[in-house]
Amino acid sequence: MKEVTNEIILKATQIKKYFPIKRGLLLKTVGHVKAVDDVTLEIRKGETLGLVGESGCGKSTLGRTLIRLYEPTAGEIQFEGQDFLHVDGRGLRLLRKDIQMIFQDPYASLDPRMTIGQILRQPFDIHNVGTSQERTTRVKELLELVGLKAAHVNRYPHEFSGGQRQRICIARAIALNPKLIICDEPVSALDVSIQAQILNLLKDLQEKLGLTYLFISHDLSVIEYFCDRVAVMYLGKIVEIGTRDEMFNQPKHPYTQALLSAIPRVGEGKKEMKKSLSGEVPSPINPPSGCSFHPRCPHAMDVCSQTLPALQGAGSQQVACFLYDSNLKLIKK
């Protein structure tokens, strides 16, 4: 059984990731896409933190920024108390062993010219772990650990199904015994029956290896099944965060409520939107002033368009909304 502690394994403070928009012959910067805008969150050792939101809200960009596949525009990242942003060279390579990533498309993240054995051996070669014989043995152990056969070691990625390819990606991610794995929609490209197998595999590995997950998904049903805490993201910002039970039983933010009301329930007949949203998601190039959700919010007030609400809450649940006081008591209906 997995053990969740209060120890913070990764802490991100006021993270921003802006992509410049360049035009003209001189490629002058004329604006920025504000993909991640002032995000602060903590991931505790042994837990699974879910990150959910509509497509284009910045979930994947945040995940890639936390692992430094994208360098942040501003902010701080600490991993086990160490400043992750000011580590370079050999120090960064050593930290890479402890933070790994599973990507959404298993076929695109595997080199089609390499055998599975070569792909899984690569982490050991890069970090010079073990002898040649030990690396070969470890590759076979990894395949069996994720439910594949050691005899598959000489096959190429195209010879496997989508679910099997994702198992290979998981094997590569756990090869160096990492402490934190960022899962970027790892089951969204798979059939529903295969999704359940992969999720159960990830749970089993978490218990066996003591892993910590940041699990990115737009599927709230998957989030409810798999995660311990949930952070809801809208237009580059975290608008609500709390435990799974709090988020699914007592959601506070109007955006969270709208997302949850859209989940289809088996046996309930035709599903009606209890919290329908009007309008379109604003552009991250020119987001609205104040609360970015206010143009679509049915409870919007004047202050919402003028001032940016901060995350607040006395306990584990926090929400960025002017409808609540600091104790998350509703002050306006």
Side-chain angles (χ1 to χ4, degrees):
M1 188 173 182
K2 74 173 183 178
E3 180 181 354
V4 179
T5 69
N6 288 324
E7 181 183 349
I8 304 300
I9 190 170
L10 186 140
K11 181 177 181 179
T13 306
Q14 296 180 320
I15 291 295
K16 298 181 180 181
K17 180 56 185 175
Y18 295 173
F19 294 97
I21 302 171
K22 297 180 181 293
R23 291 178 182 166
L25 292 175
L26 299 178
L27 296 179
K28 183 178 179 181
T29 300
V30 296
H32 291 87
V33 176
K34 299 179 180 179
V36 177
D37 197 8
D38 203 21
V39 167
T40 297
L41 58 79
E42 297 175 342
I43 304 175
R44 299 166 187 162
K45 188 175 182 180
E47 78 167 346
T48 300
L49 174 63
L51 186 61
V52 68
E54 293 173 292
S55 296
C57 71
K59 306 185 300 296
S60 294
T61 301
L62 176 59
R64 292 176 183 229
T65 302
L66 293 178
I67 203 173
R68 283 186 65 183
L69 291 181
Y70 296 148
E71 291 294 337
T73 304
E76 298 179 358
I77 302 174
Q78 289 187 337
F79 181 73
E80 293 191 319
Q82 183 176 356
D83 186 350
F84 188 42
L85 294 184
H86 294 89
V87 177
D88 294 307
R90 186 173 183 274
L92 179 59
R93 175 174 290 190
L94 290 174
L95 278 177
R96 292 276 191 217
K97 295 171 62 177
D98 293 329
I99 309 177
Q100 293 293 316
M101 192 162 189
I102 301 170
F103 296 93
Q104 178 177 0
D105 186 347
Y107 191 73
S109 60
L110 298 174
D111 191 334
R113 300 167 298 179
M114 298 174 67
T115 66
I116 300 309
Q118 291 171 329
I119 290 172
L120 294 183
R121 186 187 174 98
Q122 201 170 38
F124 304 111
D125 293 339
I126 291 173
H127 292 277
N128 195 27
V129 176
T131 64
S132 178
Q133 182 59 44
E134 289 172 342
R135 296 174 192 180
T136 300
T137 301
R138 180 59 177 156
V139 166
K140 294 179 179 179
E141 291 174 349
L142 285 170
L143 285 172
E144 293 175 349
L145 189 60
V146 298
L148 297 175
K149 296 179 180 179
H152 294 163
V153 71
N154 292 318
R155 293 187 181 182
Y156 289 86
H158 72 270
E159 298 180 78
F160 294 88
S161 67
Q164 289 175 323
R165 285 196 290 264
Q166 196 60 291
R167 289 175 184 269
I168 295 165
C169 293
I170 293 171
R172 180 176 59 184
I174 66 173
L176 297 172
N177 299 315
K179 299 175 181 178
L180 171 65
I181 297 181
I182 297 177
C183 306
D184 185 10
E185 307 227 26
V187 298
S188 63
L190 306 177
D191 294 337
V192 175
S193 59
I194 305 301
Q195 287 184 15
Q197 295 176 18
I198 297 300
L199 290 174
N200 288 331
L201 172 63
L202 289 171
K203 275 196 167 187
D204 290 342
L205 292 174
Q206 185 175 41
E207 294 178 2
K208 290 178 181 178
L209 305 177
L211 298 172
T212 302
Y213 293 135
L214 173 62
F215 192 88
I216 300 169
S217 179
H218 64 271
D219 189 333
L220 282 163
S221 299
V222 171
I223 291 289
E224 184 178 14
Y225 169 74
F226 192 70
C227 300
D228 303 305
R229 289 194 303 137
V230 183
V232 180
M233 199 167 183
Y234 183 80
L235 209 66
K237 300 180 184 294
I238 301 293
V239 298
E240 187 169 1
I241 188 168
T243 66
R244 174 181 55 200
D245 291 340
E246 288 170 339
M247 298 296 282
F248 282 89
N249 297 326
Q250 296 179 325
K252 301 295 185 184
H253 199 282
Y255 177 62
T256 309
Q257 294 170 359
L259 288 179
L260 291 175
S261 67
I263 301 176
R265 302 293 183 182
V266 176
E268 294 186 5
K270 184 178 179 181
K271 180 68 181 178
E272 295 182 358
M273 288 289 291
K274 299 177 182 178
K275 303 287 183 180
S276 60
L277 294 178
S278 60
E280 300 292 333
V281 179
S283 170
I285 298 174
N286 186 26
S289 59
C291 174
S292 56
F293 186 65
H294 85 264
R296 305 175 69 194
C297 181
H299 308 291
M301 302 174 285
D302 291 340
V303 67
C304 299
S305 62
Q306 300 167 4
T307 307
L308 178 66
L311 280 171
Q312 60 178 359
S316 57
Q317 189 172 16
Q318 294 181 302
V319 61
C321 184
F322 290 115
L323 293 175
Y324 303 91
D325 62 19
S326 59
N327 294 316
L328 298 190
K329 299 295 184 181
L330 188 64
I331 60 177
K332 182 184 182 302
K333 294 184 180 181

